[in-house]
Each structure stands twice: as structure tokens, then as C-alpha cells.
Amino acid sequence: MKYFIALAILLLSPIARPAQALEVFACEPEWAALAGEIGGDGVSVFAATTARQDPHQVQARPALISRIRAADLVVCTGAELETGWLPVLLRQGANPRVQPGTAGYFEAASFVRLLEVPTRLDRADGDVHAAGNPHIQTDPNNIRLVGIALARRMAELDPARAAGYQAREAAFRGRLDAAIARWRVEAAPLKGVAVASQHKNWVYLLTWLGMKEVATLEPKPGVPASAGYIAQMVDELPRKGAKMILYAAYQDPKPSDFVSSRTGVPVVMLPFTAGGTARAGGLIAFYDDTVGRLLAGARGHAQRD
Amino acid sequence: MRPMRTIPAAALALLFASPAIGQETDVRSVRAEIARMRQDYESRIQRLETRLARAEAASTRTTATAERARRAAEAGARRPAPGNGPHDDQGAPEPGTETQAAAPARQTAAPAGADRGFNPSISVVLNGTVGGSRRDPAAYRMPGYSIGPDARPVDRGFALGESEITLSANIDQALHGALTLSFGRENTVSLEEAFIQTTSLPWGFTVKGGRFKSGIGYLNEHHAHTWDFADAPLPYRAMLNNQYADDGVQVKWLAPTKMFFEVGAEAFRGDAWPASGSANKGFGAFAAFAHIGDDIGAGGEGGSWRLGVSELWTKTANRIAGADTFDGDDRLTIVDAIYKWAPNGNFADRYIKLQGEYFHRLERGVFNGQGLSAVQQGFYVQAVWQFAPRWRVGARYDRVWGGSSNPGLAFGALDPSGRVGARESVMIDYSTSEFGRFRLQASLDQSSGKYDPSILLQYTVSLGAHGAHNY
């Protein structure tokens, strides 16, 4: 009986899988979209979170554990963004192919230059990430770099489809480059525009577009504002010349709305990642929508859902 | 450092452009020269990077290796597509990193979190309470149950809870290890957990060995500081002396299905309540459990759930609790269920968590010299609602009943005297951040057979490494 069970487990276990699709577990929607662009029909992509969820605060849900178990490739941001849940999934998912240090574990933040690397580490400074700000997907140039590295990794894991991955990545990069050139023109009026943000998750976007963050509605990253701090922001925002208040689709707009109602500075909700708004379906659409909303915001029109 | 690196690039370019390339000897010497320069620069860069790493390590713990790997990755990532992107204006390809990038792109540099460096991640949990109750916890008893030494309400007045230190790290490519020391209020130290766990077994198997909290039930595996109330539910208090951990081994198998399904089996020494005395030559307790769970809707937008069934068999040799002795067997069955929901599946601001567990225990053997065959049961249900960022409220109802009807044991610990132990608790807690929480809890406890209203203010904080929490 014992041998029969052992044999059954052997036969049922998915060892001979290369003929099947490459199973990709993406921690965030942007990496799911990127893996989909590069993988096409060769991959089956599962997104652990949606654009309407705060990627810092995800439950290590049973469904995620079983998806980790099935994955050939785990694509996550890294830089400690998923530190509250991914380690549990990796330990409980019992999948040696995707453990940190193996080819099946891909951290996007390793392939771009991180900004806002703290010079001191102290939780009194709020929810700071030792490696730097992890919200890299708001700059398409980062997506471009990660895409190149991801295509290589997928080719390494699935050599039979390597050429296809490289070709699809090159094609995607071509479209992205064309779009980046177009956004450079379209977003020119945004250069130097001062904004306030609800949470410090726009540094890559603002750096890309040459905008300035003059205030944050959180006194420290990840620490919700007190009433006193909000009142102070209401005073400061007009003086600092903020043209709009940015918040992400997954965030509760209350603090932004409140400050906006007292100061007249319009709120602009941004998709934050692919799928964050109805019009931000794919990656390029995500930046299209982001630039469009920022331009409208700069003209004084509030942007919500 | 960066401007320095462009110098060898320029030098190389000059060398390539030099007219001497026509002659083979020259080519060879140029190659040798390049190799020499490359080596020279690599060692210089390495030296610089070592210095940088040292400097960085002094101020922060961000490591230079991560940065080096990232730079190599960038160079590698940019190489196949030179000069066709607006982001390529970051300097010429650097010879120092060129050789590194030539290796297959496997720059999975730093694992998440503070696990970097070779030091284990350290986290410390501090907690304490201040409160009052009508009855003295020291005189606590539960009619129908012979209870363990920790099975009593939280101490009155100011009381330090258990302070914990956890060290954990990957041991190597195949193993993970963790140690949790717990310091009690009376300056006692106990080894709460000390285990190794596999990370790389094939086919969904995980093996854990050492001292660890058993996977039975739902709350049992969770550290007490992650519980939503300040104390254990009554069935845990009555039947497991709050929580079941012992020395042993656990084998788990996770099914290769989309729906979460895992089964596990455990064997223990048999020293922890309700077992005692390491019966069966140190193989005194066995457990088995199965869990099933899934998301409702994509991304868990309709919530997520888990159901579990567990069995714990314990053999007891000469267990002494107060004036009571017991030799025999326990068979405990637990059924647990949990459901969590948040708007859009976003747990940042608001969420609801519902959970409940049912315990059924059959205790057979010799109790104080009398034959015993007792059925004891209990359950708890609780709901926690985070109604605003950082603010949560919760309510819990728990109940235990049963005991022995043997007339020889009348008026003893196992005589329920017709009573049912029940308790109602409510709590409200405020978190200063992910790492700090203050909780106010009020309970109306009748589990001792008498009304015992109590109120408790508790703080629970964790510092050090950012722990990841189980579902």
C-alpha cells in the first residue's frame, strides 16, 4: 500500500511539465501584465493582488499558497514591498523551484536603480524600506529594464520558447519606446509642476516626468495623518504651490478629499498599476491614463474613478 | 566611483580604434593589455566596492552586493538593446561589470527583508497588561476539567506578559531554522519554539523537526501576540493549557491543486499538556490535520476562507495537576473555520475576520485511582472588524462543557456539577503602526462557575525584523 501511494505520488507529480505553459506567479498586477506581454500564449499568469489592493498589506491567503506551489516563476517587486506576506507563501508553498536564489525567483527591483534609499533605518521614520522606495512601476523606463531581464529569465527557464520570449519582449519594448517618446512630448507641460501626494509612492513617476513633490499627507511613510497634521497641510499646500493632490486607486481618498475641499487644490486619482482604472487596462494604457489624468489635474480638473 | 569607470571605457575605445590592430602580434599585445587593464580595474573596483560596502554597512544595512548585482543586472539588461531607449543615458557600458553580466542573468540578489547578511533576522515581542477582575486568577478552576498550570486568566494589576525573542534564518539552500525564547513575568525563561524546516523538498512536502507549535486547529500555530484577544479561548485554555507545542516532527503535504489543500501528520515526545511524562518511551503524542481553503472571486475580492479538521492523540503517564493524578489517553478533535473579507480585497483600511473552532475530547484512563471515560466539548466564535485604519473592534463568545459522571470523582476537578463554562468578551484596539497595538478588552467570564467580570488594557509591540504573518 505504502509503495502504491509513493508510486501514485510519483506519477501524479508534475515533473514532466516543460510542454505545458510556464506558470508565472506575479505579486502585483504590473508584473502580471509584463509577464503576459513577454510570455504570450506560452505562459499562464496568476496575479496575487489586484490594482485595488495595497501591496504592502496582503494576507498570506490559502489560494496564494497553492498558486506558489504550482509556479515555475515568481515575479515580485522585492525591495521589501512583500516582506509581510511573500516569505510565508514561499515557506508554506513547498516549491523548491521558486525559492530566493533560484532562477524561479525574480525580483524586479534588482534590475532598476532604486530611489529614496534611506540613510538611516529607524521605524520612528515610518514604514521605510531599507533597499529604497519599491514602487518602481510608475516609471515606464523601469518597466523597460525589468522586461529585458524578465525575458532573459523566462528564456532561461523555458529554453524551448526562448526565441518567442525575446521576440515578444523586443516588440513590446519597441511599442513602449515609441510611447515613451510620445509621453515625453505630451507630458511636457507637467515639467516642474508641484504636487502633494497622499502616500510617498510616486517618486519614480514624478522623477520621470520632472514633477515636484512639495508635500505628503502622511507625516511619515505608512503613518496615517492626525487631524493636526492635516490642518497643517491645509495651511501649507497653497503656499507651497501644489497644483494637485495625488492618491492611488487602492487608497481611501478621504484625506485627499478633505484637504482638497479646504484648499481647492484638485485631487487626482492615479491607477498606480495596470488595471487601476477602467482605462488603464494594459501597461501602456496605464501610463497613457496616468499622463492624461495628470494633465487634466494640472489644468485644474479633479480626477476620480 | 561612476566617473572613474568611464575612463577605462574610453581607454578601451581608443585601443580598439588604434591603427596597430593590423598586425597579429600587436593584436595579441593589445588583447593582453586589455585583459591586464580589465583585471586591474576589476580589482580596483572591487577594492572600491569593498570600501563602499564597509562605509554603507556602517551607516545602514543596505549591502553593496545588492547594488553590485543590480548594476551588473542593469548593464546586462541594457546590453542586447544598446542605445535605443531614452533611459540609456546612464554612462557607457562599464568594463568592470561587463564580465559579470556575461554570466546568465540570475541576479536574484537579495532575498526580501532583513534576512540579508548572514545574521539571522531578530524580532522581539513585548507585551504587558494592566487590569482588574473580581476573582483571583490564582484560585481559578474550571468545573469538569483538570487544567494545566498556564490555564488561568491574565494576572490582575500590572503584569508583564511573555516577552519573546525570535531568531530565524535560512540555514542553507535546503533548510530554514527558528528559535523563540520566551521570558515570563517571574523571570522564567522557556524555549517556546526551536525548529528546523525544509524549504526544498520536491512534490509539495515540508518537514519540520524540533520543538514547535502543532498545526492542529487554527489559533494553535499562531503566536499568542498575533491573537485578536488578550487571552486564549476557553477550549484552548481548558484542553491544551492555552497552546500545544512539544518536541517532535511534522510532515506536511500540499496538494498540486488550485484550491488550497494540505494534510499533515505529527509525532511528539508527549510532554506537553494534556500529555505528560513522555509516555510510550518518548513517543507519546500524535496529530494529524487537513486544511482546505480558497479565494472567493479574483484576487480574493469576495473574501478568502480556510476550513480545517485536526486530531490529537496523547498518552499520559502520571500527570499531576494540583492534587490530581492522571494516567491514560486523550483524543481531541478540532474543527476550525476562518473567513476574511475586505472591500476589494484591500486589507489596508478596513476588513472583517470571522473565525470559530469546535473542540471535542475523549479522555480515558485512571484519574485519582478511579476509572475515567469523559467527554468534554467546547467552542468559540469571534468576529473582528477593522472599521477605520488602525482601529478594530471584536467580540468573542466561548463555551466549554462536559466532564466525568463517575460518582467516584464527584466534587473533584472533573465534576462539572451541572455547570457550563461560558464567557463573553469584547475588545477595541488601536495600532500605532503595523508594529504597535493597544487593546482594551472586557470579559464576563463564568467558566469558573462564578461571575468574573474583568477589564484589561494590553500593549503588544514587535520590534526588529518585519515578521510575515500566517493566514
Side-chain angles (χ1 to χ4, degrees), chain B residues 105-173:
Chain B
R106 195 183 284 209
Q107 295 87 356
T108 40
D115 277 355
R116 271 177 290 167
F118 286 117
N119 291 323
S121 52
I122 302 170
S123 66
V124 177
V125 174
L126 302 175
N127 73 89
T129 50
V130 57
S133 58
R134 184 182 294 171
R135 316 267 167 202
D136 184 2
Y140 181 76
R141 52 185 289 274
M142 290 175 101
Y145 288 83
S146 168
I147 52 175
D150 300 329
R152 54 188 182 143
V154 179
D155 285 334
R156 297 195 278 193
F158 291 103
L160 196 62
E162 284 190 336
S163 314
E164 283 178 15
I165 298 181
T166 300
L167 307 173
S168 68
N170 285 335
I171 295 158
D172 55 21
Q173 76 292 345

Side-chain angles (χ1 to χ4, degrees), chain B residues 59-70:
Chain B
S59 60
T60 74
R61 282 190 61 236
T62 51
T63 60
T65 40
E67 175 66 14
R68 197 187 308 154
R70 187 179 312 131

Side-chain angles (χ1 to χ4, degrees), chain A residues 172-185:
Chain A
F172 170 69
R173 180 150 36 87
R175 275 180 285 137
L176 188 64
D177 284 343
I180 289 172
R182 175 164 56 80
W183 293 322
R184 183 177 282 178
V185 178

